[in-house]
Amino acid sequence: MLVARALAKLIKTGALILIDARGHRHESGGALPGPHVTVRLTDPSLHRRLLFNPYMAVGEAYMDGTLLIESGTLEGFLEVLLINEEAASGLPVFRLNAWVERQLRWLHQHNPVGKARENVAHHYDLSDTLYDLFLDRDRQYSCAYFATGAETLEEAQHNKKRHIAAKLLLEPGQKVLDIGCGWGGLALYLAQVADVEVTGLTLSVEQHKVAVERARAAGLADRVRFHLRDYREDSGRYDRIVSVGMFEHVGVQHYREFFARVRAMLTDGGVCLLHSIGRMEKPGNTSPWLRKYIFPGGYTPALSETLAAVERERLYVCDIEILRLHYAKTLRHWYDSFQANRARIAALYDERFCRMWEFYLKGCEVAFKYNNQMVFQMQLARRQEAVPLTRDYVSDFERAQAAGGRAAASGLAAE
């Protein structure tokens, strides 16, 4: 009854019908248009857990199958919760949860080298087959770039790599560092389009293994090298540094350390491109469910705390681009592919794992659509004249690359 009363106060957009574990039906919302969803609870202990620890209990109950969606969809259910979330912030239990999270923020984001390796292994050392079943062929596990919104996932991920290459202002023979290189797709792309030498760093044993083999198979092992190494353990000097989807794992108390290493490793005329998920509001905390089950040690930073660390390390911010709904579109593609291959993924793991990843992928998509999440690309340099005065070079590079691709395709068709 307490949960039902709270929902009745909170839900104004959309409607949620809750059937509790005793079979009682509670209706809330409906004042403003939105999704209509019915959920059933099958475990009486959820009544108390949902009231006192909702951010953890909802995800765990969905994983365990003790929260069932009887009508509507998971997407609709999460939309109702997130659209109405702001009203919940004033309730005593939500204020208490937020206070506790703030007190423990330093602990949750403490990522020394050893802990960082453990956190990466938790997520990225899963089965290779899993990632093949929902990512694009190049295994780009970060926000794609939708120039029109109508692109396939493959096209949008290629756009992303091209967009990043444009901002790096690559020249033949340069040395490039890729911090958090994943399975090596971006490093290989940069070496191919610009004839540069790339060093990729990862903490994932499985990613490193795949990346090394990909470089060998592409005949690029002499110019693209991958190391199982933390960014704090690298002592090289580079003309260009790129980091995509890794900054979210650094931890707030390590931001100055990160940018100090970037500055130390950049040559005087060097350029860095940082691509990261961020939040469009003040600094906060990671969802406790996401932190426990998906990304331990992970956190999406506010621009304010990121820029504060950049300023203290005396790096020039040459450009910032905010990608708003690009990640929501990316996550929709991933979720659809995951669902298309759900039976194979369940055979790899189990039903609970599938429900956990459904909740993760769809929850993140909804957060990018309705909540506080976005992606930023920040271009940094040690010297302010390291990049041109205007951004024309970005579109010029992308048009030239696109034209080259069309010309190559025409040549192959003629043959």
Side-chain angles (χ1 to χ4, degrees):
M1 286 297 295
L2 290 175
V3 173
R5 287 175 184 170
L7 289 173
K9 290 181 180 179
L10 299 177
I11 296 179
K12 307 300 180 186
T13 300
L16 179 62
I17 298 172
L18 174 68
I19 303 172
D20 67 28
R22 299 181 181 89
H24 300 146
R25 182 184 177 94
H26 311 275
E27 298 187 17
S28 56
L32 297 172
H36 283 58
V37 183
T38 300
V39 299
R40 178 183 293 275
L41 310 181
T42 63
D43 179 359
S45 71
L46 273 174
H47 298 174
R48 180 176 295 273
R49 288 166 50 211
L50 286 170
L51 183 65
F52 291 104
N53 194 9
Y55 289 112
M56 183 67 79
V58 171
E60 288 185 331
Y62 185 80
M63 287 167 57
D64 294 336
T66 55
L67 185 154
L68 304 172
I69 298 173
E70 294 213 331
S71 69
T73 63
L74 173 60
E75 180 175 4
F77 173 57
L78 292 170
E79 284 182 8
V80 169
L81 296 183
L82 284 184
I83 291 171
N84 293 283
E85 184 182 32
E86 188 173 351
S89 61
L91 294 179
V93 66
F94 283 86
R95 290 205 305 268
L96 176 61
N97 280 333
W99 181 85
V100 171
E101 286 289 309
R102 285 196 300 272
Q103 306 315 304
L104 297 176
R105 188 171 186 254
W106 66 273
L107 179 62
H108 294 154
Q109 296 178 37
H110 180 55
N111 288 324
V113 175
K115 185 65 174 175
R117 285 197 173 96
E118 291 177 16
N119 291 341
V120 166
H122 176 91
H123 190 85
Y124 296 98
D125 283 347
L126 297 173
S127 166
D128 269 358
T129 304
L130 167 67
Y131 292 104
D132 282 337
L133 290 175
F134 77 93
L135 296 178
D136 65 303
R137 288 190 297 271
D138 198 35
R139 284 200 197 172
Q140 290 294 306
Y141 195 19
S142 57
C143 178
Y145 188 79
F146 292 85
T148 67
E151 294 93 340
T152 66
L153 180 61
E154 301 289 340
E155 291 168 340
Q157 290 293 13
H158 182 80
N159 290 347
K160 186 263 301 290
K161 290 179 287 187
R162 185 173 62 200
H163 199 55
I164 288 171
K167 293 184 179 184
L168 285 171
L169 292 154
L170 299 168
E171 297 177 7
Q174 286 181 331
K175 292 186 176 181
V176 180
L177 177 66
D178 183 356
I179 302 175
C181 62
W183 292 277
L186 178 61
L188 295 170
Y189 173 82
L190 297 179
Q192 289 166 335
V193 298
D195 193 23
V196 292
E197 183 179 313
V198 188
T199 298
L201 305 182
T202 179
L203 294 179
S204 166
V205 173
E206 293 302 317
Q207 287 185 336
H208 178 256
K209 188 190 310 179
V210 172
V212 169
E213 174 55 28
R214 290 185 69 186
R216 186 202 64 77
L220 292 170
D222 59 328
R223 288 196 292 119
V224 184
R225 302 174 185 86
F226 297 102
H227 301 288
L228 201 58
R229 182 185 299 166
D230 191 277
Y231 69 93
R232 290 162 286 196
E233 299 172 324
D234 196 279
S235 57
R237 291 269 284 175
Y238 301 93
D239 304 294
R240 301 290 185 263
I241 296 177
V242 62
S243 183
V244 178
M246 177 271 178
F247 192 64
E248 302 92 318
H249 304 282
V250 168
V252 171
Q253 58 263 53
H254 301 282
Y255 285 179
R256 283 198 65 179
E257 182 180 26
F258 177 85
F259 290 114
R261 288 301 307 141
V262 167
R263 180 177 174 82
M265 291 188 288
L266 269 182
T267 59
D268 285 344
V271 176
C272 170
L273 194 283
L274 178 67
H275 171 119
S276 173
I277 301 172
R279 61 184 63 226
M280 48 66 68
E281 59 186 16
K282 65 183 181 180
N285 296 286
T286 301
S287 152
W289 182 88
L290 199 68
R291 185 174 62 237
K292 178 178 180 180
Y293 290 100
I294 307 298
F295 292 119
Y299 169 69
T300 56
L303 279 174
S304 56
E305 54 196 341
T306 306
L307 287 168
V310 170
E311 291 166 358
R312 291 188 179 99
E313 297 307 322
R314 297 186 57 78
L315 286 163
Y316 283 99
V317 179
C318 302
D319 186 75
I320 297 178
E321 182 178 6
I322 305 299
L323 308 180
R324 290 163 290 108
L325 293 173
H326 294 257
Y327 218 157
K329 292 181 180 295
T330 305
L331 284 153
R332 171 59 65 97
H333 280 283
W334 290 348
Y335 181 84
D336 289 346
S337 294
F338 187 95
Q339 292 294 72
N341 292 287
R342 197 179 192 283
R344 295 179 62 185
I345 295 170
L348 280 175
Y349 291 99
D350 55 26
E351 177 62 20
R352 188 172 187 267
F353 179 90
C354 287
R355 293 174 70 86
M356 176 174 70
W357 272 64
E358 284 173 351
F359 195 83
Y360 150 54
L361 292 171
K362 188 55 68 175
C364 288
E365 179 192 338
V366 172
F368 277 95
K369 288 171 66 177
Y370 298 107
N371 208 237
N372 63 355
Q373 301 291 283
M374 50 81 165
V375 170
F376 63 84
Q377 289 187 347
M378 185 180 296
Q379 188 190 57
L380 305 169
R382 293 182 59 152
R383 293 164 45 193
Q384 56 182 327
E385 67 270 22
V387 302
L389 291 176
T390 70
R391 301 182 77 253
D392 293 348
Y393 64 91
V394 176
S395 53
D396 288 346
F397 178 89
E398 291 178 307
R399 279 195 293 265
Q401 287 293 312
R406 288 193 294 270
S410 298
L412 289 173
E415 291 177 6

